Amino acid sequence: DIQMTQSPSSLSASVGDRVTMTCQASQDIRNYLNWYQQKPGKAPKLLIYDASNLEIGVPSRFSGSGSGTDFTFTISTLQPEDIATYYCQQYDNLPYTFGQGTKLEIK
Amino acid sequence: EVQLLESGGGLVQPGGSLRLSCAASGFTFNNYAMSWVRQAPGKGLEWVSAINGRGFKTYYADSVKGRFTISRDNSKNTLYLQMNSLRAEDTAVYYCAKERLTVGAFDYWGQGTLVTVSS
């Protein structure tokens, strides 16, 4: 199975900050990488698919980049409603696997 | 508007069985692959199983292979997960999720149904 490793596990930032988190795959997954946002008690929400494509309706402050084994997710200007846990997920090979998540908190 | 509504969760004893259902609406159900994804209390997301649009191809995580069966009834726009030989480690919120046409990305999720395996 492909292992997905996210870092950091948790992150504290201030409103207005630029926030970056990473996801590393244990083998080349080309660009078959998605990013999800999950708020407490809610289902995950797809934000980015195919590493860098913004899902319809998602604010443009969210972006993704990378290919191969190393990927980055960025929030350009942190908003209070962005408090959540963010997961990456690969779909190059079954089983689909998720990273362990990065929990984002407001300072 | 796409809607996914899970049902069937509850408390079951170890070794018992449960069948989850996911009623879909707002899209052409048989055009899309569907998956079940679970989340143990306080833990991350784990993909469990997937089925293609016609229902002919199914896929499972090793952790549930041989115990869980995914199926769909396209005439009823409903996805199922039959769970047998349940274990404590199967305790989780189970989400059904619709895949994008380019399979592997889950663009819509249900609200989840909690399965608790305990004596």
Side-chain angles (χ1 to χ4, degrees):
Chain A
D1 297 1
I2 298 174
Q3 305 302 314
M4 306 300 293
T5 303
Q6 290 184 242
S7 62
S9 297
S10 63
L11 177 55
S12 182
S14 300
V15 172
D17 282 354
R18 181 180 182 88
V19 171
T20 297
M21 59 190 72
T22 65
C23 178
Q24 185 171 56
S26 60
Q27 65 188 65
D28 185 350
I29 59 169
R30 296 173 281 182
N31 69 330
Y32 296 146
L33 190 282
N34 306 311
W35 291 95
Y36 299 86
Q37 176 193 65
Q38 187 179 33
K39 297 183 178 181
K42 300 294 186 182
K45 176 185 176 182
L46 178 65
L47 300 180
I48 303 285
Y49 65 94
D50 295 351
S52 61
N53 293 309
L54 195 66
E55 178 69 352
I56 294 172
V58 173
S60 59
R61 65 180 180 275
F62 296 101
S63 65
S65 64
S67 66
T69 60
D70 295 301
F71 302 85
T72 300
F73 175 80
T74 299
I75 306 173
S76 60
T77 307
L78 185 65
Q79 300 299 307
E81 60 267 30
D82 299 336
I83 298 312
T85 299
Y86 293 84
Y87 293 94
C88 62
Q89 174 240 331
Q90 68 81 22
Y91 63 101
D92 185 58
N93 278 337
L94 284 167
Y96 302 142
T97 47
F98 292 86
Q100 82 281 11
T102 292
K103 186 175 183 179
L104 179 56
E105 298 172 329
I106 296 286
K107 272 185 189 174
Chain B
E1 179 193 5
V2 172
Q3 290 195 336
L4 299 171
L5 185 62
E6 301 99 335
S7 60
L11 175 63
V12 61
Q13 292 189 339
S17 298
L18 216 51
R19 187 176 86 154
L20 306 183
S21 299
C22 172
S25 61
F27 64 102
T28 305
F29 185 64
N30 61 10
N31 281 354
Y32 294 90
M34 299 289 294
S35 276
W36 288 97
V37 177
R38 68 184 180 183
Q39 187 169 35
K43 302 298 184 183
L45 300 167
E46 180 189 16
W47 172 81
V48 171
S49 182
I51 187 168
N52 73 337
R54 296 283 188 94
F56 299 147
K57 295 183 179 180
T58 58
Y59 309 90
Y60 298 93
D62 284 347
S63 58
V64 307
K65 200 172 294 183
R67 300 187 299 123
F68 291 10
T69 302
I70 191 171
S71 63
R72 63 193 297 161
D73 185 336
N74 287 344
S75 69
K76 295 182 178 179
N77 287 355
T78 302
L79 176 72
Y80 302 101
L81 186 68
Q82 177 67 42
M83 304 186 296
N84 298 331
S85 303
L86 282 161
R87 306 166 180 167
E89 55 264 36
D90 296 318
T91 295
V93 173
Y94 285 73
Y95 296 101
C96 69
K98 170 186 169 291
E99 298 191 28
R100 301 181 85 253
L101 276 175
T102 51
V103 294
F106 309 118
D107 56 356
Y108 288 93
W109 299 64
Q111 85 290 348
T113 187
L114 176 62
V115 172
T116 303
V117 184
S118 175
S119 54

